[in-house]
């Protein structure tokens, strides 16, 4: 059965969040369902969206695994964002976590070097 995944992130200030996530993902949104929501397609049928919902902002935590963690972190740094936290777990798996202006966490993980 094919699946589509939509992972949502509630934000307080839509305009500020839109700019921040464009820098994080390196592109404008794939589409805008309405005036207070923006959607990025990160991979086929796998989407992340922001939505202005101040009462829920600041509680999201998402992590995706990538093959190019170091390259991706360097590209994001070129766009002006640095990880709020970096971790290496005992099994060697690594994580770079970014926090948006509301405190929502979006992380990228990668296999050991």
């Amino acid at each position: 059965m094919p699946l589509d995944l939509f992972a949502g992130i509630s934000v307080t200030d839509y305009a500020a969040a839109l700019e921040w996530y464009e820098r994080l993902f390196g592109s404008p949104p794939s589409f805008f369902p309405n005036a207070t929501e923006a959607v990025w397609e990160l991979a086929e049928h796998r989407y992340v969206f922001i939505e202005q919902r101040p009462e829920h902002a600041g509680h999201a935590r998402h992590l995706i695994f990538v093959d190019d963690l170091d390259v991706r972190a360097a590209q994001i740094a070129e766009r002006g964002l640095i990880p709020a936290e970096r971790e290496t777990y005992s099994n060697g798996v690594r994580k770079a976590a970014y926090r948006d202006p509301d405190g929502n966490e979006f992380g990228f993980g990668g296999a050991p070097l």
Side-chain angles (χ1 to χ4, degrees):
M1 165 176 48
L3 296 173
D4 285 2
L5 172 67
F6 281 82
I9 302 171
S10 297
V11 299
T12 302
D13 183 335
Y14 176 75
L18 180 62
E19 188 270 333
W20 192 90
Y21 281 95
E22 285 179 345
R23 288 181 13 205
L24 181 69
F25 297 135
S27 68
S30 302
F31 61 95
F32 298 91
N34 57 58
T36 60
E37 190 174 352
V39 181
W40 286 263
E41 185 174 20
L42 301 185
E44 187 175 7
H45 303 289
R46 286 148 182 91
Y47 303 87
V48 170
F49 68 94
I50 61 168
E51 182 178 18
Q52 185 170 343
R53 296 180 67 200
E55 66 279 9
H56 296 286
H59 302 287
R61 292 184 68 200
H62 298 305
L63 174 68
I64 60 172
F65 274 75
V66 295
D67 292 335
D68 61 349
L69 179 59
D70 294 323
V71 171
R72 188 172 302 258
Q75 291 170 340
I76 294 169
E78 289 173 4
R79 295 189 293 269
L81 299 178
I82 57 168
E85 174 182 328
R86 285 184 176 266
E87 291 184 70
T88 301
Y89 298 98
S90 61
N91 63 357
V93 170
R94 300 172 300 132
K95 172 184 161 187
Y98 299 83
R99 292 202 180 82
D100 75 8
D102 287 308
N104 294 304
E105 181 180 300
F106 199 96
F108 296 95
L113 291 175

